Amino acid sequence: MVTEQQILDALRPIEDPEVHKSIVELNMVRSVDIQGDHVKVEVALTISGCPLRTVIENDVKKALLNVPGIRSAEVVLGTMTDEERAKFTSTLRGDRPEHQSPLLATDSKTEFIAVASGKGGVGKSTVTANLAVALARKGLRVGVIDADIYGFSIPNIFGLGDRKPTVVDNVIIPVGKEGVKIVSMGFFVPENSPVIWRGPMLGKMIRNFFNEVHWGDVDVMLLDLPPGTGDVALDIHQMLPKSKELLVTTPQSNASEVAVRAGLMAKRTNHEILGVIENMSYLECGKCGDRTYVFGQGGGARLAEALQVPLLQQIPLGVAANEGTGIFAAESSQGKAYAALADDVAERLGQTAASRK
Ligand SMILES: Nc1ncnc2c1ncn2[C@@H]1O[C@H](COP(=O)(O)OP(=O)(O)OP(=O)(O)O)[C@@H](O)[C@H]1O
Ligand SMILES: [Mg+2]
């Protein structure tokens, strides 16, 4: 006779396709009824119109039919009661006091990297997104927080279109793309609301990005900051005292000079600067490989020198692979530069895909 325990063990490896946790641990298996070689299992979904219901249904059925002694299986999908949903969300949150995110706990293994620049338009968001993808391609678990209240360009760079995160009882499930978990201010702020209203909301919002978001395990969290040394950058530095920083500049002197100020602020607040990334460094001829330094040369090196930190990478100019997004293909020269940058950054953090397993 098959036991309920055997059935639960068989279902344990099945994850909720959105939150990537076992449906058994999430208390989604409401009942198990075994009659000889027939089993009927009831699974409670968070919302009735759950778009992934057939995925869960098929996975459960397949697992049940794999249990020795079971010949037929029936899966009934239900919707969680308020009480069940409360249990589900508290499991997601890990029942921490005041819902403090495990990412912010003092023993958190997550490395935070704030990506900053002195000036706008140097490619800070493009660098954040492409570095995130390159780290994910290496096998690291990566999150991106788009904290640029003036821009929110991360959703566009990833080509998210109208995709918005799922919210279950105030727990936000990040949007996944290219192996990266993404949360953007842009998901929550109406596009045409004036920047002046966004400012005061931001500190609270960023706190919520940790406490109300189910991130799961994240090795590296990249934060796209607004340009300059404004309140947001300061807030982040205070909220994440261990966060490290990457500085993005272009080869022009004016860009690198203002970036020095952003870098000095990081230094003053005791945040380690991992290094400088020079973006739009040159245009490479597709035929002969000759490099044209469209915006001059030396900005990255000068910034690195001024702050006594390494110049990590120079990213050439180019058009992203997929029309309408800003993610470069792995085999493009930009993609290779990002792969090298990801190797370097991971090494500086002491993170390799192998070491986290
Ligand atoms: N290496 C590159 N080659 C060509 N275009 C690039 C490159 N990097 C960035 N761009 C383009 O430059 C523009 C500005 O980039 P991005 O939005 O990433 O900059 P930013 O510093 O985040 O700007 P903002 O201050 O508006 O937030 C975008 O149109 C982007 O596609
Ligand atoms: Mg930006």
Side-chain angles (χ1 to χ4, degrees), residues 8-26 28-29 43 45 50 52-60 63 88 92 141 181 214 217:
L8 289 177
D9 287 344
L11 296 181
R12 208 173 295 277
I14 300 177
E15 293 187 342
D16 177 282
E18 257 186 332
V19 304
H20 302 292
K21 260 190 179 241
S22 161
I23 59 167
V24 175
E25 266 140 50
L26 288 169
M28 291 170 70
V29 181
V43 177
L45 303 176
C50 179
L52 298 162
R53 52 190 298 139
T54 49
V55 177
I56 299 183
E57 187 175 359
N58 291 339
D59 287 355
V60 170
F88 173 89
L92 273 190
R141 296 166 295 188
K181 295 175 181 174
H214 173 66
D217 292 325

Side-chain angles (χ1 to χ4, degrees), residues 179-192:
V180 176
K181 295 175 181 174
I182 303 156
V183 169
S184 167
M185 270 293 283
F187 292 156
F188 310 102
V189 176
E191 216 161 295
N192 47 8

Side-chain angles (χ1 to χ4, degrees), residues 117 119-128 130 148 150-153 157 224-227 248 278-283 295 315-320 325-326 328 334 338:
S117 69
K119 206 166 112 56
V122 296
K124 187 169 43 63
S125 304
T126 305
V127 169
T128 306
N130 280 278
D148 186 347
Y150 311 105
F152 335 125
S153 46
I157 293 174
D224 185 9
L225 299 186
V248 181
E278 187 187 79
N279 187 32
M280 312 191 195
S281 295
Y282 51 87
L283 186 66
F295 298 122
I315 315 276
L317 281 159
V319 181
T325 79
F328 290 100
Q334 292 77 12
Y338 280 113

Side-chain angles (χ1 to χ4, degrees), residues 73-260:
E74 186 185 348
V75 182
V76 180
L77 296 181
T79 307
M80 287 183 181
T81 60
D82 288 348
E83 210 173 300
E84 282 171 329
R85 200 171 299 121
K87 218 167 154 190
F88 173 89
T89 47
S90 79
T91 310
L92 273 190
R93 287 178 167 136
D95 269 332
R96 286 173 309 279
E98 298 171 41
H99 305 316
Q100 211 225 10
S101 168
L103 295 189
L104 296 180
T106 40
D107 59 352
S108 162
K109 298 256 185 305
T110 305
E111 293 275 7
F112 290 92
I113 304 178
V115 183
S117 69
K119 206 166 112 56
V122 296
K124 187 169 43 63
S125 304
T126 305
V127 169
T128 306
N130 280 278
L131 174 59
V133 171
L135 288 165
R137 284 176 183 153
K138 275 173 69 67
L140 293 172
R141 296 166 295 188
V142 186
V144 169
I145 292 180
D146 177 8
D148 186 347
I149 41 167
Y150 311 105
F152 335 125
S153 46
I154 291 289
N156 281 337
I157 293 174
F158 276 96
L160 297 184
D162 290 334
R163 284 181 63 191
K164 291 268 147 76
T166 309
V167 182
V168 183
D169 266 13
N170 294 326
V171 177
I172 300 161
I173 317 289
V175 174
K177 189 81 192 280
E178 310 269 355
V180 176
K181 295 175 181 174
I182 303 156
V183 169
S184 167
M185 270 293 283
F187 292 156
F188 310 102
V189 176
E191 216 161 295
N192 47 8
S193 82
V195 167
I196 179 169
W197 290 352
R198 298 176 187 169
M201 287 169 67
L202 192 79
K204 188 166 179 282
M205 205 68 138
I206 291 183
R207 225 162 278 273
N208 288 349
F209 282 172
F210 295 107
N211 296 339
E212 311 295 335
V213 175
H214 173 66
W215 285 104
D217 292 325
V218 173
D219 299 312
V220 184
M221 179 75 81
L222 297 177
L223 296 110
D224 185 9
L225 299 186
T229 51
D231 291 353
V232 176
L234 259 176
D235 264 7
I236 299 259
H237 282 132
Q238 274 159 9
M239 203 180 313
L240 303 169
K242 283 191 300 192
S243 78
K244 299 184 173 138
E245 189 155 318
L246 285 169
L247 282 169
V248 181
T249 184
T250 51
Q252 294 104 315
S253 345
N254 60 346
S256 64
E257 276 156 22
V258 284
V260 172

